Amino acid sequence: MGQLTFHGHACTEIRTADGTRLLIDPWLTDNPLADVGPEGFYDDLDYVLLTHGHFDHTGDAYEILRRSGATLIATFELVSYAQNEEGVENAHPLHIGGGFQFPFGRVQLTPAFHGGQVAGEHGGGYTTFPAGLLMQLDGTSVYHAGDTSLTREFELLRDRVDVALLPIGDNFTMGPSDAVRAVDMIRPGVVIPIHYDTFEVIEQDPEAFREAVGDLAEVVILSPGESYEF
Ligand code: NI
Ligand code: MN
């Protein structure tokens, strides 16, 4: 059985049945919703996965990667930035549509419609296509959408996702009503709303989102620090 723990905003930790520990989009320092700091990942982490280069997703990633020796999984451009400018050693680049069978499971990058800036002191020369993460873990299909608008790309995921983490914050990503349309297109078993309430402009009511989703899927609302087992 795998375990998924939400740490606020888009940061999601996953422990697979074989004990592999993954961390997605670790922005913890200065994240007003984070329930943990980066220190908890320095000594025990296997992979960091990044959906795109914005600070609210990469915030603590490079420090965690340097200290833990974990392997970065991200787009080619983000991996190049991390290795050339941030002192990250271990990395496995992928790109949109491409997947790879890692020892813990398969990871495939999906398209996300969003900004391509790579944040960081020397990030100006880098840009990347933002991604979602489609992961096959212990027989469960877990999809972390990253930051994205509503897009027809979701139709390609229909009936192929068990657990979907979808942004509902609006302003920087799709908002609740478009996220409901995304659920209708993907038809996952479980939806976990993310990327809301961190800033004033993305304050949302997840209970209202649950009601709007209705019978389309089970909505699991995780407060930072709470886990879902799959
Ligand atoms: Ni973003
Ligand atoms: Mn974001």
Side-chain angles (χ1 to χ4, degrees), residues 51-53 75-78 95 114-118 126-131:
T51 60
H52 63 294
T75 60
F76 175 81
E77 292 85 356
L78 268 186
H95 229 301
H114 189 64
Q117 181 209 33
V118 172
Y126 296 81
T127 183
T128 188
F129 203 99

Side-chain angles (χ1 to χ4, degrees), residues 164-179:
L165 296 116
L166 300 181
I168 66 162
D170 216 346
N171 199 85
F172 298 116
T173 66
M174 60 183 174
S177 58
D178 277 352

Side-chain angles (χ1 to χ4, degrees), residues 52 54 56-57 114 147:
H52 63 294
H54 289 167
D56 58 318
H57 299 256
H114 189 64
D147 283 4

